Amino acid sequence: MNALLFNSTLVIYAVVTAIYLLYLLKPKDSLGKTGLWLTLAGFVVHCGFTVNRYLEAGHTPITNLHESLSFFSLAIVGIFILFERRYKISILGSFMMPLALLVMAISASFSSVIPPLNPALKSKWLAVHTIMAFLGYAAFAISFGVSIMYLIQSHFLKTRRLGPMFQKLPALDLLDDISYRCLTFGFPLLTFAIISGAIWAETAWGTYWSWDPKETWSLITWFIYAALLHGRLTTGWRGRKAAMLSIFGFVIMLFTFLGVNLLLPGLHSYK
Amino acid sequence: MNIIVVGLSHKTAGVEIREKIAFSPTQMEKPLKTLVELPDITEAVIVSTCNRVEIYATTRDVAGGMARLKRFLADYHNFPLETLEKHLYSYHGEDATRHVFRVASSLDSMVVGEPQILGQIKTSYGYAAEFKSSGIILNRFLHKAFSVAKRVRTETKIASSAVSVAFAAVELAKKIFGELGDKTVLLIGAGEMCELAAKHFINVGVRGVMVTNRTYERAEKLAEEFDAKPVRFEDLMDHLPKADIILSSTGAPHFIIRENDMEEVLRRRKHKPMFFIDIAVPRDIDPKVNDVENCYLYTVDDLNGVVATNLEQRKIEAAKAEAIVEQEIGQFFKWLASLDVTPTIVALRSHFDEIRKAELAKTLSNWKDLPPGAEKKLEALTNAIMNKLLHQPTSTLKRTDQGSRNDLYVDALRSLFDLQTETEQENLMELED
């Protein structure tokens, strides 16, 4: 059942990605609509997978890379649907769905066996800490996608290449605004995730902060986004500069999430 | 029944002729009533806009009808017919239909794709309906034109891009700022194109406009015209940070806005984007300003380039639209042909005959002990009943002296007995649509 739901989600996301990439080349409204409906269908199946996995495992299914990546992808798709509906920009799908698919595909490469739960993870904090962290990550992912769109649109305007893709991409100010909203949504979540993680660490390992690589890199990520938000609010970092920083922040965030788990041994190494 | 069109447009007559021939929209009753009282003319609709004056009418005699419409146009406006005739075009049948479909779809407009013309034809048709000068044929004719125009609008991108420099500037600004409602425009100098662009920005509802000029009095005068704030030219750099959209067309021989001014300007406006439109030749704004982050600079050549691309796109879309028009002409003529009396009578008779035969066959198959010869007698009886029933409607239809009422009967019969086949499927479009 688990495998069926997981694979169905993967297939639907692959189809959606193909549709959205086609939409990028040939911006026909019908393609955008089909893309969104299929995304919704994929999201429902994906939720089904997550719930089913929760019931089978008996705990929040974010304890290894297979589960975490799948949940990350689910959060990206969920937040994408919210933003697509709120701002009516189909082309956002052309940037977000390939990312969601990629994350799912990486998830598929890890073992889907449900392992016995590590004693340190047996806590009510598991759900709070991980769900907040991944919702925050997903918001940063949307900000990353929108920032790429900003750079492309800004490039079109500067070089006067005003083709069909230029017409479909939203106004610069709107993209900048969405990116900013994602940051104001993601940053508090990341902050709470770090705080709740510290509290959990105290109960599990007896210390709030032990400078394990994951903790260190989370703090670095937090500082980058804090600096970006601060810069936006005070010195008016916006437009290209903000977009590039948001992309940089996302890359660091990905390293915190994946690189640290896979490359740097520490307390958080759950493969 | 034939459809004819007589008229003139921006393509055949100058404005000095067009304004003399135009009909006032508030006084449509008199000309419309006069038209339908003319011999040979059964229905009429007048379309009168600043770019065209056209009369659509139905007549049994094409040449006679056209001559009467021409004479009417000349007489009504006290204009010499010989002079007027040189500017008039006239179409009938398929050409008339093609013409009205193209006009409604804005393929015959000065700026192809501009949407106003459809509304103007709908208003004209409204008058004709109000004063009862249009009937079954022109009603269908114009409704068909509206639905063709709607198809063209939804199936092609004929009106989706800006085709004037001023509009292109507005569209580009929207791609930078999204909504323009909280944006401020700064007008530097007073070129004609600049003023036009400023007007477009005011039309789409920018928050404020500032005007500056080397001579302050000129700035004040312009400011009054635009309900804007005049700014002294010496204070330009103080006001620049407040402006989101800058339109410049001074006669200055050197740049008045330089790249190295921009760092300070952007810092003061917290790096919010700026859109510069330099219409001056020689240029007012250093081209390097475009390299500054969050600054977008377009010259008049760039804007012309945008317009040319859009026009090219419109040409492609117009070709698609023409294809739609050709398709729809065929459909309309099928309907018009259905209004001919003879095919309708034939269709009506065969419709009744089919029913008669079917019912007779059903009865006979259930009737086992029928006396010899009864079958023939029943056949004759049902035939006689059918002929009696159809006699009166047939002879009424065959009378040729009843003008447009004939079309009405034919249309009603075809609808009542569902005689029409492929032509009648589409519903009439709502006038307000």
Side-chain angles (χ1 to χ4, degrees):
Chain A
M1 187 63 178
N2 247 327
L4 176 71
L5 287 169
F6 185 88
N7 291 334
S8 309
T9 308
L10 201 57
V11 170
I12 298 175
Y13 286 173
V15 174
V16 169
T17 299
I19 290 174
Y20 273 123
L21 289 181
L22 197 64
Y23 180 77
L24 205 57
L25 300 173
K26 209 170 167 56
K28 270 189 154 177
D29 290 342
S30 54
L31 278 175
K33 275 188 193 140
T34 316
L36 182 64
W37 279 111
L38 274 175
T39 305
L40 277 169
F43 183 70
V44 170
V45 178
H46 202 166
C47 284
F49 163 77
T50 310
V51 170
N52 189 54
R53 181 98 182 171
Y54 174 85
L55 295 176
E56 275 188 17
H59 55 81
T60 316
I62 318 184
T63 58
N64 57 34
L65 275 176
H66 174 67
E67 291 172 346
S68 311
L69 284 161
S70 165
F71 190 80
F72 181 35
S73 172
L74 180 77
I76 292 175
V77 176
I79 297 184
F80 156 64
I81 293 171
L82 285 181
F83 275 84
E84 207 279 355
R85 286 293 77 203
R86 169 74 177 75
Y87 294 101
K88 309 262 184 276
I89 34 176
S90 301
I91 205 160
L92 186 57
S94 311
F95 292 82
M96 297 323 299
M97 288 316 289
L99 183 66
L101 174 69
L102 180 71
V103 173
M104 266 314 251
I106 303 175
S107 165
S109 71
F110 290 99
S111 163
S112 63
V113 176
I114 300 176
L117 195 60
N118 182 325
L121 295 179
K122 279 184 189 146
S123 164
K124 60 181 185 309
W125 289 104
L126 170 64
V128 179
H129 172 68
T130 50
I131 291 177
M132 276 209 251
F134 280 104
L135 283 178
Y137 285 0
F140 293 147
I142 303 279
S143 175
F144 163 76
V146 171
S147 297
I148 291 179
M149 287 162 79
Y150 186 99
L151 293 183
I152 295 175
Q153 184 71 317
S154 156
H155 177 74
F156 282 154
L157 274 161
K158 289 258 185 200
T159 55
R160 284 129 206 156
R161 280 172 50 200
L162 314 178
M165 190 169 156
F166 165 79
Q167 299 295 345
K168 273 287 164 187
L169 280 167
L172 290 180
D173 264 9
L174 178 65
L175 291 169
D176 198 47
D177 187 46
I178 295 176
S179 172
Y180 176 64
R181 272 163 207 267
C182 286
L183 294 182
T184 55
F185 179 71
F187 187 71
L189 285 169
L190 181 67
T191 310
F192 284 126
I194 291 176
I195 293 172
S196 64
I199 297 171
W200 183 12
E202 211 276 330
T203 57
W205 302 318
T207 168
Y208 285 106
W209 198 268
S210 46
W211 295 105
D212 130 277
K214 184 83 163 192
E215 288 170 358
T216 312
W217 278 95
S218 293
L219 198 64
I220 294 172
T221 310
W222 188 88
F223 271 119
I224 290 170
Y225 281 112
L228 174 54
L229 270 173
H230 177 78
R232 286 194 78 114
L233 290 171
T234 57
T235 42
W237 283 357
R238 48 165 69 229
R240 258 176 68 84
K241 194 184 265 176
M244 293 205 294
L245 258 174
S246 173
I247 292 168
F248 177 67
F250 184 71
V251 172
I252 296 300
M253 188 218 87
L254 275 186
F255 182 76
T256 305
F257 172 28
L258 284 179
V260 171
N261 275 21
L262 296 173
L263 304 175
L264 305 174
L267 297 166
H268 273 85
S269 303
Y270 310 110
K271 290 188 188 173
Chain B
M1 194 56 69
N2 293 289
I3 296 172
I4 53 174
V5 181
V6 167
L8 45 76
S9 73
H10 57 96
K11 289 184 177 167
T12 63
V15 64
E16 64 290 344
I17 307 251
R18 297 203 304 271
E19 63 194 8
K20 286 200 181 95
I21 300 302
F23 292 87
S24 153
T26 52
Q27 293 156 356
M28 279 301 201
E29 186 171 5
K30 194 178 148 212
L32 285 171
K33 288 194 166 158
T34 315
L35 274 169
V36 284
E37 278 161 15
L38 293 174
D40 300 334
I41 302 294
T42 41
E43 299 176 29
V45 172
I46 298 174
V47 172
S48 182
T49 73
C50 49
N51 278 334
R52 65 179 70 242
V53 178
E54 291 177 338
I55 302 175
Y56 306 126
T58 56
T59 178
R60 292 211 169 273
D61 168 15
V62 171
M66 282 181 178
R68 284 198 197 282
L69 293 187
K70 288 177 185 170
R71 159 90 28 221
F72 165 81
L73 270 177
D75 290 353
Y76 193 85
H77 297 289
N78 286 324
F79 201 87
L81 181 60
E82 309 76 65
T83 322
L84 184 63
E85 258 189 322
K86 280 184 272 180
H87 301 284
L88 288 176
Y89 46 77
S90 50
Y91 303 108
H92 73 277
E94 200 178 304
D95 293 336
T97 313
R98 181 175 296 110
H99 178 75
V100 74
F101 288 1
R102 293 185 75 249
V103 169
S105 309
S106 185
L107 290 168
D108 197 50
S109 300
M110 202 179 252
V111 178
V112 170
E114 56 91 13
Q116 291 92 325
I117 183 68
L118 183 61
Q120 288 165 334
I121 300 181
K122 282 183 178 172
T123 311
S124 309
Y125 171 66
Y127 290 124
E130 186 185 342
F131 303 119
K132 299 189 173 59
S133 70
S134 72
I136 181 164
I137 293 184
L138 285 189
N139 287 350
R140 178 67 62 101
F141 181 65
L142 288 170
H143 275 120
K144 189 76 199 168
F146 302 153
S147 77
V148 172
K150 192 182 176 191
R151 239 193 100 185
V152 165
R153 209 169 40 196
T154 52
E155 290 179 26
T156 74
K157 291 188 193 123
I158 196 157
S160 67
S161 49
V163 288
S164 73
V165 166
F167 260 118
V170 172
E171 299 260 295
L172 283 169
K174 282 184 179 165
K175 277 291 181 189
I176 297 172
F177 301 112
E179 291 306 311
L180 300 180
D182 59 347
K183 299 293 173 261
T184 301
V185 173
L186 169 64
L187 198 61
I188 309 175
E192 195 186 331
M193 209 188 285
C194 233
E195 286 178 32
L196 189 65
K199 273 181 194 149
H200 279 304
F201 277 110
I202 292 167
N203 280 344
V204 295
V206 292
R207 185 184 56 188
V209 180
M210 298 183 284
V211 179
T212 187
N213 199 287
R214 278 206 192 276
T215 42
Y216 186 65
E217 290 70 34
R218 177 87 179 110
E220 273 184 318
K221 207 171 143 237
L222 264 178
E224 206 171 309
E225 193 182 319
F226 289 119
D227 200 13
K229 182 178 173 238
V231 168
R232 288 190 185 279
F233 196 77
E234 307 82 76
D235 302 338
L236 176 63
M237 282 302 146
D238 291 334
H239 288 88
L240 204 52
K242 294 179 214 155
D244 304 289
I245 299 155
I246 297 94
L247 298 163
S248 188
S249 70
T250 70
H254 51 76
F255 297 143
I256 55 168
I257 297 175
R258 289 186 180 81
E259 184 197 7
N260 45 17
D261 301 328
M262 293 317 296
E263 196 180 321
E264 169 67 9
V265 169
L266 279 166
R267 194 185 55 73
R268 280 175 58 193
R269 55 182 275 116
K270 289 199 166 180
H271 299 272
K272 280 189 273 184
M274 294 179 93
F275 181 33
F276 295 89
I277 301 156
D278 187 355
I279 300 177
V281 180
R283 284 179 289 186
D284 281 345
I285 303 169
D286 185 351
K288 285 199 193 114
V289 166
N290 193 47
D291 301 335
V292 177
E293 220 164 272
N294 299 328
C295 287
Y296 301 90
L297 166 65
Y298 278 68
T299 65
V300 70
D301 284 352
D302 298 329
L303 291 178
N304 276 327
V306 173
V307 170
T309 318
N310 290 349
L311 278 173
E312 210 47 48
Q313 186 60 30
R314 276 202 184 190
K315 264 189 207 156
I316 299 168
E317 297 301 319
K320 289 186 201 162
E322 298 281 3
I324 293 175
V325 165
E326 289 306 317
Q327 270 177 25
E328 298 279 350
I329 290 174
Q331 279 208 8
F332 179 73
F333 269 86
K334 272 188 197 155
W335 174 77
L336 200 60
S338 79
L339 292 186
D340 276 353
V341 172
T342 318
T344 303
I345 294 171
V346 172
L348 186 67
R349 289 196 70 87
S350 75
H351 176 73
F352 272 67
D353 205 39
E354 266 169 37
I355 298 173
R356 183 189 67 80
K357 279 181 182 151
E359 292 301 314
L360 190 62
K362 215 156 64 184
T363 309
L364 290 177
S365 70
N366 290 333
W367 213 339
K368 302 290 176 219
D369 44 354
L370 211 58
E375 212 170 296
K376 281 219 160 118
K377 279 184 183 160
L378 280 173
E379 172 87 34
L381 170 72
T382 52
N383 236 332
I385 293 174
M386 187 187 82
N387 284 335
K388 280 260 152 71
L389 283 173
L390 286 181
H391 174 73
Q392 191 55 46
T394 309
S395 56
T396 306
L397 276 180
K398 278 183 177 163
R399 276 214 309 269
T400 49
D401 58 349
Q402 40 193 4
S404 65
R405 282 176 66 196
N406 226 351
D407 304 323
L408 187 68
Y409 291 156
V410 169
D411 193 51
L413 267 181
R414 297 191 86 94
S415 308
L416 281 174
F417 295 105
D418 198 22
L419 300 179
Q420 70 276 49
T421 44
E422 60 266 58
T423 50
E424 297 306 298
Q425 308 310 331
E426 87 249 34
N427 292 324
L428 283 187
M429 214 173 118
E430 283 303 313
L431 236 192
E432 289 74 28
D433 187 34

